[in-house]
Amino acid sequence: MTEAVTPSASTTLDSLAPLLRAWLPRQRWFAGKGRPVTGFTPVAVTQLLPRGGRLDLFHVLLRVHQPPESAHPGDCYQLLIGAREALPPRLAPALIGHVTRGPLAGRTVYDALYDRRPAEVLLEALRTRARVGGLRFERDPRQEIRPHLVARMLAAEQSNSSVVYGDTFILKLFRRVVPGVNPDLELPRALAREGCPRVPAPTAWLRAELDEQPYVLAVLQPFVSGAADGWELALRELAKGEDFTAEARALGRATAEVHTALARALPTATLGPAQLGPLVDGMTERLAAAVQAVPALGPYERGLRSAYTALAELAAGGRTWTAQRVHGDLHLGQCLRAPSGDWSLIDFEGEPARPPAERRLPQPTVRDIAGMLRSFDYAACSASSAPARWAHDCRAAYCSGYAEVSGRDPRTDPVLLRAFETDKAVYEVVYEARHRPDWLPVPLSAIRRLAVSDPH
């Protein structure tokens, strides 16, 4: 990236470096946990409010350097930094630290998304389609944004940060930013053109052009007021001993509606032997790396590998599949049920760990389906009193609902479904071993099932 930083801005960031070095690794969205921060390179610093008032406000794109630096240029993070003489108690969770030198000496800096006033500055800039420095605040001209909506930060831990405005809009601000087209803007806009009601249409977005490359920094969408998160809803119904199959079936129908609309809106592809080869190779390589990282996978490696070889053999025999754009990271937490009972799908960014170009590749729709089936397993394992067949029944209902809309039941292609569900479970094993060891038994229970040639 080309640096777009004035000398005074660079000096300001230099004075913040010791504070950011300690603060960044503690953030849920920081991807470099476990590795020391060795330095920063400012990419762009934009002043959003005039200096000298009670509040200073900076939009910052900052490249963070960590070892091994020779193998990686460093991730770029988006920060909204506020500076006040002192923080009120309500902003204590947002504290970054107290500045002792530089232009902000004597002031307290903090994550300004937690503060109503700075968050409302972003909304007003989107409403008026402002241009500030290299930032471009853009809005769908057919949609209006009322002024003076009160902002509140969502407390849920996630890989990005979200602010709700008056129960009308929700702004998702991407923390780790990469160049190129962001699927979380691209796909909802494509679905809006198709009139698909299952995904809230983007109202506005923030982007920047750096080194002649586009960056999507934030997306504003309608807020589904009173909606229940699919994960929380499933756990709530489990705790009450209530059946969830009707919801699972409706969610399957909603998923199929989104897939059908995406296939109309964007190009599809045919996957034959030449295309399946790299896909299967990738699955096999991820399995080999996972076995090295998590030895508990070792006894199941041969059985798991058979899921991939079976798929390769079908392709070699002339079988083909259709690939299209998909959600890419579908699970119960990416779904909202409105008070009306309608389901919506959200967060089309895909798996953040995968490169953006890979996230935008056409995939078999079963990739999303496998993710949701794994999510039912997770929900069942999270509840101490889940009925033995709860996950099985939800999985079956979801697939049946999907078939009602698409005309294709995912279970009628068991080799493809097993391969993608295996790939997802292997990914989960590595993730849980690294980040949540107590959860490791959840994907391992699926690994034992998937390692046999007929897991169902």
Side-chain angles (χ1 to χ4, degrees):
M1 291 184 192
T2 299
E3 294 183 20
V5 184
T6 65
S8 61
S10 182
T11 302
T12 298
L13 279 178
D14 285 345
S15 68
L16 299 182
L19 302 176
L20 293 173
R21 196 185 303 267
W23 177 77
L24 275 169
R26 300 197 304 267
Q27 306 314 301
R28 166 66 178 83
W29 38 262
F30 185 70
K33 289 182 173 60
R35 292 180 289 138
V37 174
T38 57
F40 303 104
T41 300
V43 175
V45 180
T46 307
Q47 189 174 306
L48 296 180
L49 288 175
R51 291 293 301 274
R54 295 176 57 188
L55 170 65
D56 288 318
L57 185 60
F58 303 92
H59 179 278
V60 177
L61 294 175
L62 187 68
R63 189 168 296 285
V64 179
H65 302 291
Q66 296 179 273
E69 295 182 28
S70 60
H72 195 281
D75 291 319
C76 182
Y77 290 92
Q78 178 178 197
L79 310 176
L80 190 69
I81 296 179
R84 292 171 173 263
E85 289 187 6
L87 286 190
R90 63 182 172 82
L91 292 178
L95 175 68
I96 295 176
H98 306 285
V99 186
T100 58
R101 60 186 179 87
L104 297 177
R107 295 173 76 82
T108 299
V109 293
Y110 65 105
D111 184 347
L113 277 181
Y114 284 82
D115 194 353
R116 280 174 46 181
R117 167 67 175 138
E120 289 163 7
V121 168
L122 295 181
L123 185 67
E124 181 63 13
L126 290 168
R127 189 183 74 84
T128 58
R129 292 185 273 190
R131 293 194 170 199
V132 186
L135 300 178
R136 301 293 180 262
F137 295 84
E138 301 179 349
R139 172 171 56 82
D140 184 336
R142 298 167 298 178
Q143 301 193 48
E144 294 298 325
I145 300 174
R146 287 193 296 112
H148 311 307
L149 294 174
V150 176
R152 74 175 190 277
M153 178 85 162
L154 287 186
E157 288 195 346
Q158 50 191 357
S159 57
N160 297 296
S161 296
S162 296
V163 179
V164 174
Y165 295 96
D167 289 339
T168 303
F169 296 107
I170 182 168
L171 177 72
K172 184 200 276 193
L173 185 130
F174 302 110
R175 289 299 195 167
R176 185 169 57 153
V177 297
V178 293
V181 178
N182 191 314
D184 209 12
L185 177 60
E186 176 196 19
L187 296 187
R189 291 187 75 187
L191 289 165
R193 291 193 296 270
E194 289 295 322
C196 178
R198 298 299 185 180
V199 177
T203 301
W205 48 92
L206 170 60
R207 66 176 184 87
E209 195 84 19
L210 298 167
D211 204 14
E212 299 184 350
Q213 295 190 84
Y215 284 73
V216 174
L217 303 177
V219 177
L220 185 78
Q221 291 176 287
F223 182 69
V224 185
S225 183
D229 170 285
W231 174 257
E232 297 297 335
L233 180 63
L235 294 187
R236 197 158 63 236
E237 296 303 295
L238 271 166
K240 295 189 297 185
E242 297 289 340
D243 179 73
F244 198 70
T245 54
E247 297 294 352
R249 184 182 296 269
L251 189 49
R253 290 196 295 268
T255 305
E257 286 183 31
V258 170
H259 283 166
T260 301
L262 282 173
R264 289 196 309 263
L266 297 166
T268 61
T270 298
L271 300 183
Q275 295 77 28
L276 256 292
L279 189 150
V280 171
D281 288 346
M283 292 178 171
T284 304
E285 290 166 7
R286 286 190 289 274
L287 173 60
V291 170
Q292 292 296 314
V294 187
L297 275 176
Y300 307 103
E301 181 178 11
R302 183 176 178 181
L304 297 172
R305 193 181 299 272
S306 72
Y308 308 146
T309 56
L311 181 59
E313 288 167 1
L314 274 184
R319 179 73 185 274
T320 62
W321 292 267
T322 298
Q324 63 165 81
R325 297 298 299 278
V326 297
H327 182 284
D329 189 24
L330 191 61
H331 53 78
L332 284 165
Q334 309 282 41
C335 306
L336 298 175
R337 192 195 67 175
S340 64
D342 292 333
W343 282 96
S344 297
L345 274 57
I346 59 173
D347 293 339
F348 281 75
E349 189 181 3
E351 290 182 7
R354 295 180 185 261
E358 184 179 325
R359 290 185 237 159
R360 298 184 66 235
L361 289 175
Q363 299 272 350
T365 55
V366 74
R367 178 174 175 181
D368 283 349
I369 294 163
M372 186 61 70
L373 299 186
R374 296 292 311 118
S375 195
F376 289 126
D377 273 359
Y378 263 77
C381 290
S382 299
S384 57
S385 58
R389 289 183 57 86
W390 188 91
H392 176 275
D393 292 345
C394 286
R395 290 160 61 95
Y398 178 81
C399 290
S400 296
Y402 190 92
E404 289 171 8
V405 171
S406 71
R408 302 181 310 278
D409 191 315
R411 294 168 294 182
T412 61
D413 197 347
V415 173
L416 185 69
L417 181 59
R418 180 190 173 208
F420 272 86
E421 193 175 354
T422 299
D423 190 47
K424 182 67 173 178
V426 167
Y427 165 84
E428 292 166 351
V429 165
V430 175
Y431 181 88
E432 304 302 4
R434 287 177 177 169
H435 302 287
R436 303 187 301 183
D438 291 347
W439 285 72
L440 188 56
V442 178
L444 281 178
S445 67
I447 290 293
R448 288 189 285 271
R449 171 174 59 85
L450 293 161
V452 300
S453 58
D454 183 10
H456 302 289

